Amino acid sequence: MKIVYALFLIGASLTASGQSELSKPTEAVNPPFKLEITANLDKEHSNVWDFVNSAETTVKTGSMVVVAIRKTNITDHEISKSTGAGTHSSYYIDVHDSDGNLVGLRKPNEVKMIGDDHGGHLAGTKDNVLQPGESMIDHDLVGRWLDMSAPGTYTIQVSAHISNDPKSDVVKWNIITVTVQEPDPPAAAPQ
């Protein structure tokens, strides 16, 4: 009986792991949009995101890591600004530490509710769509939800489903690196 039960458990775990691999969305071959992310603001304009110099960012421990996500329609027809498949604003944000481990959520007592980061869209209007070549920019306070408090190097990639179907293909684009450094030592007190 123990052998049958052990074989059943092994079979169930193999089936479960096989299903999770099969249910993973595949990357879209001909995506209708592109996603770009950055954690850098333009050096000359403090309210403009820099998508050109987006590969690396350095912040001090305790700083809030914020990313901007630009979604651009690369088709010849209008597409939806967001889909119902995904987390808020339809994006999935994967953050890994320097060892390749997925970064976990902050402890519940560390999560700060600041308010909604994303504006609403009016139903039934052109406010819900991107025209060909049109872009929109969202931002996400990644450091609010994910624990990036330890000094080190983190990689961040954003993905989104191409439709409302949670089994649809996903679009991924660039990966950025955020280095979290120890804060500067306090200045020596004047003697």
Side-chain angles (χ1 to χ4, degrees):
M1 181 67 172
K2 288 181 183 178
I3 294 172
V4 171
Y5 182 69
L7 289 174
F8 173 74
L9 286 178
I10 291 171
S13 66
L14 289 175
T15 302
S17 68
Q19 286 175 343
S20 65
E21 284 301 312
L22 291 176
S23 64
K24 262 186 170 176
T26 57
E27 199 163 339
V29 176
N30 294 313
F33 56 88
K34 70 178 183 177
L35 291 177
E36 299 167 278
I37 61 171
T38 185
N40 293 326
L41 287 169
D42 187 294
K43 292 183 184 351
E44 295 179 18
H45 303 94
S46 62
N47 61 345
V48 177
W49 292 98
D50 184 355
F51 286 93
V52 175
N53 302 303
S54 63
E56 297 180 12
T57 303
T58 300
V59 299
K60 300 289 183 188
T61 302
S63 298
M64 179 63 65
V65 176
V66 181
V67 296
I69 305 160
R70 180 167 60 188
K71 180 177 182 178
T72 304
N73 179 350
I74 57 175
T75 70
D76 60 357
H77 58 277
E78 62 185 33
I79 63 170
S80 177
K81 283 187 175 179
S82 63
T83 63
T87 58
H88 64 284
S89 293
S90 306
Y91 302 118
Y92 293 96
I93 299 178
D94 290 322
V95 180
H96 292 86
D97 64 18
S98 57
D99 293 328
N101 299 316
L102 197 60
V103 173
L105 295 173
R106 286 185 169 275
K107 295 176 184 149
N109 62 342
E110 295 176 337
V111 174
K112 296 181 174 97
M113 298 302 288
I114 299 173
D116 187 10
D117 301 325
H118 310 283
H121 302 290
L122 298 173
T125 68
K126 293 286 183 179
D127 191 41
N128 291 325
V129 296
L130 286 175
Q131 297 301 323
E134 186 179 17
S135 296
M136 63 177 257
I137 297 175
D138 279 321
H139 68 278
D140 193 291
L141 298 157
V142 177
R144 181 194 301 172
W145 307 110
L146 300 174
D147 189 2
M148 298 175 69
S149 59
T153 302
Y154 299 87
T155 57
I156 303 174
Q157 185 172 36
V158 176
S159 61
H161 283 277
I162 61 170
S163 74
N164 285 330
D165 181 358
K167 295 178 184 168
S168 65
D169 291 347
V170 295
V171 174
K172 296 179 180 182
W173 224 264
N174 62 319
I175 297 173
I176 62 172
T177 301
V178 175
T179 302
V180 177
Q181 295 179 338
E182 292 283 352
D184 293 332
Q191 304 262 337

